[in-house]
Amino acid sequence: MSSNNSRADFGSKIGMILATAGSAVGLGNIWRFPTEAGKGGGGAFLIVYIACILLVGLPLMTAEFVVGRAAHTNTAQAYKRLGGGWLWRHVGQFGVFIGWFILCYYIVVSGWTLNYLVTSLRLGPYGAANWDTYFGEMVARPWEPIVYMAVFMLMSHFVIVRGVQKGIEKFSKILMPLLFLIMVVLCVCSLFTPRAAEGLDFLFTPDFSQLHFKTVLGAMGQAFYSLSIGMGCLCTYASYFSKETRLVKTAFQISAIDTLVAVMAGIIIFPACFSAGIEPDAGPSLVFIALPKVFHDVFGAWPILAWVVSVLFYALLVLATLTSAISLQEVPTAYLAEDCGLSRGAATSVVSGVCIALGAVCSLSMGPLSDWTLFGKNIFDLFDFVSSNIFLPLSGACITFFVGWRLERSLLMDELTNGGAVSPTLARCLVGLLKYFVPFAIVLVFLSGIGIF
Ligand code: PHE
């Protein structure tokens, strides 16, 4: 498996952990997790979510790591090299396609976060905006969201074009500590809001009466999304891991960081929402409509603090989405550079160009192209629906089947135990989960995603 010996690897353990955690930590943690927890009874959702991470997320993440590290190449080649044959070659290419496809609409939302950061900075402590209508008006404009989206894409381009060590790793080492620092500052501010105790109570005291079968499926879908499973990112990053990296331990560390960030986002958002008298289950509009008002209401007596908090919050969102977008962009870039003979610069430009073009169509579907619909959904919603509800479970199913049933058992155990250096007990449990439990869980998530129950 070492035909690619000259290939770049992550240069340090901390760089590898921060880059991979950067992929996992994103909108899923800061936007989606609090919304889902808000709908699913706070603490009860948290317990179920942690169980889903351990029983489904962790095995799948480890499985993607195994494929990437064992093959030591991009996602498309990896499945072909390890699986052989026509089918597996296409499964790998499908993984690359999903990463690219998701990036096209992920950068649209990322552009909104950049817009909010710039707008809150520009407003200053004494400026005001009508946040109730701001979001709807902003996304419906033809050019503004496209410009922000393109600027965001170029930020990711700027990192990716520099390569694995000088780009992804170096920037993750700067951006991720900054992200943690901002989170800690925001948590402290939120804990000083008047009704902080109620917010914390909601997040940590389980209300099992709100817990339904659908909530469990929601938690499982959230675990998938939050850990970046099935998008080729984990497999591609694992192809840059060293042979000494302990895959199960690394998957555990990344899942723990990801969950910690989600809980911290809850600690920021719930006390602030309760203090401003806003329901924490406001749905996806929470971050873009409710929160800007929340910051101004709660810290109204100190306009400068209100301003700093909202600027920091949107800076946090931009950082989190940027590190995720970088990991997504690396998937097709590595493929084009390694399989299609393009230079890294050319590969990065092709990926950025296609994403900006398709992202512009997604963005316009909220405004001038809003009557281009299929099954009652505009293009942006279609991208979102198809990727979250169809592509991701399908790709998850391929990974679990490939690693659980198809991959040579000795190679699998070798990767999981680093050639016998680590005790095989945990590895055996993970393989058992991958073979029997995870496929069952994926089928349930898929059926729920397409509306069967
Ligand atoms: N895991 C990311 C999050 O939590 C989502 C994501 C990452 C999506 C990478 C795509 C690619 O937001």
Side-chain angles (χ1 to χ4, degrees):
M1 297 302 151
S2 54
S3 59
N4 270 329
N5 275 339
S6 61
R7 212 168 166 264
D9 274 341
F10 287 123
S12 64
K13 198 169 154 199
I14 184 79
M16 176 271 289
I17 297 268
L18 289 178
T20 316
S23 171
V25 170
L27 285 176
N29 305 63
I30 302 167
W31 172 17
R32 244 184 118 191
F33 176 83
T35 306
E36 293 284 321
K39 287 189 292 191
F45 181 87
L46 184 59
I47 294 175
V48 175
Y49 178 72
I50 291 175
C52 291
I53 290 275
L54 291 175
L55 297 176
V56 183
L58 195 68
L60 275 170
M61 179 181 269
T62 316
E64 279 205 51
F65 283 172
V66 166
V67 176
R69 204 221 356 223
H72 202 51
T73 182
N74 67 80
T75 303
Q77 270 293 326
Y79 283 85
K80 184 173 157 200
R81 197 174 282 179
L82 299 177
W86 172 91
L87 175 70
W88 295 110
R89 189 174 77 221
H90 289 296
V91 165
Q93 286 169 338
F94 181 54
V96 173
F97 169 75
I98 296 182
W100 204 339
F101 186 87
I102 292 187
L103 184 59
C104 294
Y105 86 92
Y106 199 75
I107 53 169
V108 177
V109 183
S110 310
W112 300 342
T113 63
L114 194 58
N115 181 311
Y116 269 64
L117 172 61
V118 173
T119 306
S120 31
L121 260 174
R122 270 213 326 239
L123 279 175
Y126 301 100
N130 183 355
W131 294 113
D132 282 325
T133 54
Y134 183 85
F135 181 71
E137 288 169 4
M138 185 270 290
V139 296
R141 283 188 206 120
W143 289 110
E144 188 183 320
I146 295 184
V147 171
Y148 278 103
M149 174 204 75
V151 171
F152 184 88
M153 187 76 248
L154 293 179
M155 286 160 53
S156 168
H157 180 106
F158 175 82
V159 175
I160 289 290
V161 84
R162 282 172 166 61
V164 176
Q165 286 195 9
K166 293 199 186 116
I168 301 174
E169 184 171 351
K170 185 172 154 203
F171 282 89
S172 303
K173 280 184 179 165
I174 302 170
L175 300 178
M176 291 305 285
L178 197 60
L179 180 140
F180 279 111
L181 184 71
I182 296 181
M183 286 211 98
V184 171
V185 172
L186 288 176
C187 281
V188 172
C189 290
S190 201
L191 289 177
F192 280 101
T193 57
R195 290 170 65 192
E198 278 170 67
L200 292 184
D201 221 36
F202 178 78
L203 178 60
F204 292 115
T205 314
D207 170 9
F208 287 104
S209 69
Q210 294 298 314
L211 200 61
H212 311 292
F213 186 50
K214 270 223 135 332
T215 328
V216 177
L217 294 180
M220 205 124 70
Q222 170 64 16
F224 260 62
Y225 183 85
S226 192
L227 294 181
S228 308
I229 285 163
M231 309 181 195
C233 302
L234 300 174
C235 182
T236 307
Y237 273 14
S239 72
Y240 307 129
F241 287 3
S242 81
K243 284 286 167 212
E244 285 72 49
T245 302
R246 301 196 166 180
L247 297 184
V248 182
K249 184 173 159 200
T250 305
F252 197 83
Q253 287 167 333
I254 306 291
S255 309
I257 294 176
D258 189 67
T259 309
L260 178 72
V261 171
V263 171
M264 284 171 86
I267 296 179
I268 295 170
I269 289 175
F270 292 129
C273 282
F274 273 90
S275 300
I278 284 182
E279 287 296 310
D281 59 354
S285 62
L286 185 69
V287 162
F288 290 112
I289 298 176
L291 278 182
K293 281 190 297 187
V294 166
F295 295 140
H296 282 93
D297 291 356
V298 173
F299 301 108
W302 306 281
I304 294 185
L305 182 62
W307 178 61
V308 170
V309 166
S310 49
V311 168
L312 283 181
F313 183 77
Y314 289 106
L316 173 72
L317 276 183
V318 170
L319 287 180
T321 49
L322 182 60
T323 49
S324 293
I326 289 170
S327 75
L328 276 173
Q329 188 168 10
E330 180 61 15
V331 178
T333 305
Y335 168 69
L336 292 179
E338 290 173 356
D339 279 22
C340 306
L342 298 186
S343 68
R344 189 158 179 103
T348 316
S349 302
V350 171
V351 177
S352 300
V354 169
C355 286
I356 291 178
L358 287 178
V361 178
C362 284
S363 176
L364 289 172
S365 74
M366 310 264 179
L369 302 185
S370 58
D371 44 349
W372 288 19
T373 57
L374 195 65
F375 307 117
K377 293 186 191 307
N378 66 25
I379 299 172
F380 177 90
D381 291 340
L382 270 180
F383 264 67
D384 183 28
F385 179 84
V386 171
S387 48
S388 320
N389 297 310
I390 300 178
F391 285 173
L392 288 186
L394 212 58
S395 152
C398 291
I399 296 162
T400 187
F401 185 74
F402 183 72
V403 176
W405 295 93
R406 172 87 174 97
L407 200 62
E408 210 181 293
R409 180 71 181 222
S410 59
L411 179 102
L412 173 59
M413 289 309 285
D414 227 39
E415 284 295 331
L416 290 176
T417 61
N418 287 27
V422 181
S423 145
T425 318
L426 197 56
R428 288 206 188 101
C429 294
L430 282 181
V431 175
L433 283 171
L434 268 178
K435 281 180 110 138
Y436 304 105
F437 181 70
V438 177
F440 172 69
I442 290 176
V443 170
L444 290 183
V445 171
F446 177 67
L447 294 179
S448 146
I450 58 172
I452 300 226
F453 51 69

